Amino acid sequence: MRNSSRWLFILTIVLVAVTVLIARQQKLGLDPDFETVVLPTSTPDFASISDVNEKKQAFFDFLGPQIQLQNQLILKERERLISIEKSFRTESLSSNDVEYIRKLGERYYSSIPTEGVTQDWLNEMLIKVNVLPKALVLTQAANESAWGTSRFAIQANNYFGQWCYKAGCGLVPLKRQEGATHEVAKFDSVTKSVHGYFMNVNRNRAYAALRSIRSDLATNGKDLTSVDTAMALTQGLLSYSERGQDYINDLQTMIRANNKFWID
């Protein structure tokens, strides 16, 4: 009976996750017919894993499906956006198209211009709405969360060091400078943490350089999910850390050192 109850609980969690994802897609007007990604139902105790390779594998296995999920949803958004761009060029935009891109634009901090949809605006959106390679996302998560063992990862589901600026929105850093008001954001779930990272990189003006690099790679037909792309995109993250180029060097070193884990 105990095993039956355990598996029933796990199945319930998975079904709830899928229901939430379908609701998000329907809210955005997306086709809910997407590949189901099974998310982990519990967080490993990474600090208790003494073997380095075992800890890394556990960490990547834990966050990997979350990254797959976000990229999958983004591809759906991008697919709809490309379809809408084609309609725009033939002057056949429907009211549903306009409503969809209005909502999508607000999500990506790019509201439709007062004069209406333009080609420049659509181009800007297509630069923002695109995937991120798992090697980059997993490496940043490992770096920022100390392989899932940091206080912020454990207590706040924050694996990327994201900040927030309202009192009580997160955890106060123990070494926060006097006069500073930021906190490290607290997320209700790991899924929301990973989603927050994707939205941060894809819409924050601080990472416009990363999006520009990605756009150039896409124009040249490069695989945006490859390790080479991950290495190239690190150069667009200079603003992610006060350490600047040293931070970029660390990310690149970690990507190379963990190359065996990027092979599917």
Side-chain angles (χ1 to χ4, degrees):
M1 286 296 293
R2 288 184 179 179
N3 286 336
S4 298
S5 298
R6 178 174 178 269
W7 282 111
L8 180 61
F9 173 75
I10 292 174
L11 178 60
T12 300
I13 294 296
V14 171
L15 289 174
V16 168
V18 171
T19 301
V20 169
L21 295 175
I22 292 175
R24 176 190 161 184
Q25 286 208 323
Q26 290 176 335
K27 184 176 180 181
L28 288 170
L30 293 171
D31 181 357
D33 182 19
F34 61 94
E35 179 186 353
T36 300
V37 178
V38 179
L39 305 177
T41 57
S42 61
T43 304
D45 181 4
F46 296 111
S48 70
I49 304 175
S50 57
D51 182 84
V52 173
N53 285 320
E54 183 182 343
K55 177 182 289 188
K56 288 181 177 182
Q57 189 66 66
F59 185 81
F60 293 148
D61 287 346
F62 174 66
L63 284 183
Q66 300 283 359
I67 296 165
Q68 180 185 355
L69 172 63
Q70 295 304 320
N71 276 332
Q72 186 172 282
L73 292 173
I74 288 171
L75 284 174
K76 285 287 187 180
E77 293 173 344
R78 185 174 176 83
E79 180 182 326
R80 179 73 187 275
L81 190 57
I82 290 172
S83 175
I84 289 173
E85 184 198 25
K86 291 178 181 177
S87 296
F88 172 79
R89 290 183 175 182
T90 58
E91 299 183 352
S92 57
L93 278 182
S94 69
S95 58
N96 285 339
D97 289 337
V98 174
E99 179 61 15
Y100 173 82
I101 55 177
R102 182 189 67 77
K103 292 179 179 178
L104 192 66
E106 290 176 355
R107 281 171 50 80
Y108 281 85
Y109 296 165
S110 293
S111 297
I112 294 176
T114 53
E115 66 269 27
V117 178
T118 65
Q119 186 62 57
D120 286 344
W121 182 82
L122 287 168
N123 291 342
E124 177 187 341
M125 285 295 295
L126 285 168
I127 289 174
K128 287 185 172 183
V129 184
N130 217 333
V131 298
L132 294 168
K134 69 175 184 180
L136 175 67
V137 184
L138 288 173
T139 296
Q140 274 203 275
N143 184 287
E144 295 288 341
S145 72
W147 296 96
T149 65
S150 72
R151 168 186 169 225
F152 304 122
I154 295 170
Q155 297 181 16
N157 286 317
N158 191 327
Y159 288 81
F160 300 94
Q162 295 116 302
W163 288 4
C164 57
Y165 296 91
K166 291 183 180 179
C169 64
L171 303 180
V172 177
L174 298 178
K175 297 182 180 180
R176 186 175 69 179
Q177 293 183 354
E178 185 177 352
T181 59
H182 70 276
E183 299 180 11
V184 177
K186 188 171 185 178
F187 295 93
D188 293 335
S189 67
V190 178
T191 299
K192 289 184 178 180
S193 174
V194 178
H195 174 69
Y197 165 84
F198 269 77
M199 295 308 293
N200 183 31
V201 172
N202 274 342
R203 68 187 181 185
N204 192 316
R205 69 179 63 182
Y207 311 116
L210 178 145
R211 297 191 292 272
S212 179
I213 295 169
R214 180 176 62 188
S215 179
D216 289 343
L217 291 171
T219 299
N220 291 320
K222 302 299 183 182
D223 179 2
L224 296 186
T225 63
S226 70
V227 177
D228 286 343
T229 292
M231 291 289 285
L233 294 185
T234 60
Q235 292 296 345
L237 292 168
L238 282 169
S239 297
Y240 206 95
S241 169
E242 294 177 349
R243 297 178 58 233
Q245 188 59 46
D246 286 341
Y247 178 72
I248 302 306
N249 294 342
D250 282 352
L251 293 181
Q252 292 179 347
T253 298
M254 290 179 70
I255 290 173
R256 285 192 292 265
N258 293 295
N259 189 61
K260 66 180 180 181
F261 294 100
W262 313 139
I263 302 173
D264 292 322

